[in-house]
Amino acid sequence: MNFMNSMRVKTVFILWLCLFSGIVLKAQQKMNTKASSLKILVLFNTESAGTYKMAKAIANGIEKLPGTTAILKQVPRIKALPNEGKQEFGNIPYANITELPDYDGIAFGSAVHFGNMSADMRYFLDQSVGIWTAHKLEGKPATVFMSAGSGAGREAAILSFWSTLAVHGMTIIPTGIMGTSDIDKTIPQGNTVFGASSLAGANTVARPSEGELHIATLQGYALAKAAKGYQSTKDITTTLPTTALENSAAQISGSPNILKTSKIETRLKSLNISLPDAPAPVGNYKPFRISGKQVFINQIALNAGKVDHPGMVGTEVTEEQAKLATRQTLLNVLAVLKQAAGGDLDKVKQAVQLTGFFYTSAGYTKHAVLMNEASNLLVEILGENGMHTRATVGASSLPMNSSVEIQAIFELE
């Protein structure tokens, strides 16, 4: 009897375990099939299509990760290539340097020129100083692939390429020895541990070879996986003790330095709002001034160095455009406020006053309607702490022909 009871218990346990495993498996399948909306740029420079073929293999590997899209683009040329329109890569669009921060990862491809990247690629990246100073590529994963005519200098070329990516603070993804056991070793192969490459001049077989394309595909997939990790963590904002004194105080009190997730940053993420980089001063003044616990800020509708929707409201700028400019101005205010708060918007106790200045003609009366865009957005982000007193003023002109300027006062904890 005891034996029969024991068998019944084991049978029930096995059935329960199978049922639980099935539920877990279905949940995992749902998680795995959820679209990640990754967008990765494959940026290349080529003259005879060798690097382009490698770029297509990289893109193929990228898109093996579900929910990931590879975007192929060329580096603009210093000198036009004869009959480029008739080349197989002739319909691939040129990239603009300002779009690099828009991607979750970037694969860079170039021909090897004297142990370095091509002049076209070098000139393109030399225009990224503004992106560098704004830290817009920091943390983004990047990888390099190349095509070498003689094969000479390809490893040096990739390593020299890495130095530019390192200065940008990008996370560099090498190939290591991935896939080397799969390729035909009876023919010369151009692959390196730093990145896939092709021996374009070794024409014993069609180039790039199947082995070179295989490594490039694996390299693209590795980049996509790194980009997925980057995407899942890029919006996490944490606060740590910022001085040795704070660290010591935490140790003395027995309180561990636990990472704290910012409530305001979490709210921004839920609203799908990304704060811009705080505009730098263009004169002999500071972007903010703290007096006691109050922060004083003035901003216009600057966006990446240019003014959004400049001009007089009602003549050169529609009211809808003025509202967009007002929104951008308020986001600039918050970006500067974040600087003033040491990078932690949770330290903002309350908004005190907003004053909106609008470039309007005499007799214009809808200033308050335009300013509502800023007030509503501030309360949406800061909640009750965002409630404020307010004034709106018409102006005959504003700096840089901006349609709006906002003066703001906040109180810190």
Side-chain angles (χ1 to χ4, degrees):
M1 182 65 69
N2 289 337
F3 174 76
M4 293 298 294
N5 289 335
S6 176
M7 288 297 293
R8 290 191 185 99
V9 170
K10 289 181 179 179
T11 301
V12 170
F13 176 75
I14 291 172
L15 290 172
W16 177 87
L17 184 61
C18 291
L19 178 62
F20 179 75
S21 299
I23 294 171
V24 171
L25 182 59
K26 288 181 179 179
Q28 288 178 335
Q29 288 174 340
K30 288 182 179 179
M31 290 175 64
N32 291 336
T33 56
K34 185 179 179 180
S36 60
S37 302
L38 281 171
K39 188 172 67 170
I40 298 177
L41 175 64
V42 183
L43 182 65
F44 68 94
N45 176 238
T46 189
E47 291 186 5
S48 57
T51 312
Y52 169 58
K53 293 173 182 176
M54 295 286 284
K56 288 197 296 182
I58 292 279
N60 181 47
I62 289 170
E63 295 192 339
K64 286 185 180 296
L65 186 71
T68 307
T69 301
I71 309 296
L72 278 166
K73 289 199 175 183
Q74 296 189 72
V75 169
R77 299 185 186 279
I78 298 173
K79 183 179 179 181
L81 188 67
N83 299 319
E84 180 176 342
K86 296 181 179 180
Q87 300 282 353
E88 56 183 302
F89 53 84
N91 63 336
I92 304 297
Y94 289 123
N96 188 298
I97 194 68
T98 60
E99 69 182 272
L100 297 191
D102 298 338
Y103 299 94
D104 298 293
I106 305 174
F108 296 89
S110 168
V112 176
H113 284 186
F114 299 103
N116 211 319
M117 68 182 78
S118 68
D120 293 320
M121 180 67 75
R122 179 72 271 162
Y123 180 72
F124 181 79
L125 293 176
D126 282 346
Q127 299 173 61
S128 65
V129 175
I131 295 174
W132 169 63
T133 56
H135 310 275
K136 290 188 175 181
L137 294 181
E138 286 183 1
K140 288 184 185 287
T143 199
V144 178
F145 61 98
M146 305 196 85
S147 180
S150 65
R154 64 186 186 277
E155 292 184 332
I158 294 177
L159 289 174
S160 68
F161 207 127
W162 279 10
S163 64
T164 298
L165 308 183
V167 171
H168 272 287
M170 303 188 79
T171 301
I172 299 171
I173 310 300
T175 50
I177 58 172
M178 60 175 69
T180 53
S181 60
D182 305 327
I183 63 177
D184 183 358
K185 297 181 178 62
T186 64
I187 62 171
Q189 302 281 4
N191 297 306
T192 76
V193 295
F194 308 114
S197 69
S198 173
L199 297 180
N203 54 9
T204 51
V205 296
R207 296 290 174 173
S209 69
E210 290 185 6
E212 291 164 347
L213 294 173
H214 175 64
I215 301 297
T217 301
L218 296 178
Q219 184 177 358
Y221 184 68
L223 176 63
K225 289 196 297 181
K228 186 173 180 64
Y230 166 76
Q231 186 196 56
S232 66
T233 59
K234 66 179 179 179
D235 293 324
I236 295 177
T237 301
T238 57
T239 303
L240 288 171
T242 56
T243 66
L245 180 62
E246 288 175 331
N247 285 325
S248 299
Q251 292 172 1
I252 292 171
S253 65
S255 300
N257 296 339
I258 301 175
L259 293 174
K260 184 188 76 173
T261 302
S262 167
K263 294 179 181 178
I264 301 301
E265 294 293 342
T266 300
R267 188 172 299 158
L268 286 168
K269 185 177 180 180
S270 69
L271 296 171
N272 198 27
I273 296 173
S274 297
L275 292 183
D277 297 314
V282 293
N284 191 20
Y285 62 89
K286 293 178 177 292
F288 64 87
R289 172 65 81 179
I290 298 177
S291 178
K293 291 188 176 182
Q294 289 192 330
V295 184
F296 297 82
I297 301 169
N298 273 69
Q299 285 295 315
I300 59 175
L302 277 174
N303 187 357
K306 297 181 179 179
V307 173
D308 273 357
H309 309 296
M312 180 181 287
V313 179
T315 56
E316 302 164 281
V317 177
T318 66
E319 289 184 354
E320 288 305 313
Q321 290 173 328
K323 289 179 182 179
L324 292 175
T326 303
R327 179 183 178 87
Q328 179 63 37
T329 305
L330 194 279
L331 292 177
N332 289 342
V333 167
L334 291 176
V336 174
L337 177 63
K338 184 176 179 179
Q339 278 189 343
D344 184 6
L345 286 172
D346 287 357
K347 293 181 180 179
V348 178
K349 183 177 181 179
Q350 63 178 343
V352 179
Q353 167 82 20
L354 288 186
T355 302
F357 300 86
F358 294 92
Y359 179 16
T360 59
S361 60
Y364 186 84
T365 60
K366 296 183 180 180
H367 307 84
V369 174
L370 303 180
M371 193 58 187
N372 284 342
E373 190 73 19
S375 294
N376 294 341
L377 181 60
L378 185 59
V379 174
E380 193 174 15
I381 293 172
L382 297 184
E384 183 64 26
N385 294 343
M387 294 297 294
H388 53 277
T389 59
R390 195 180 83 176
T392 55
V393 181
S396 59
S397 66
L398 288 174
M400 297 180 67
N401 203 33
S402 180
S403 58
V404 58
E405 180 175 356
I406 293 178
Q407 182 184 83
I409 305 174
F410 296 89
E411 183 182 356
L412 300 178
E413 294 286 358

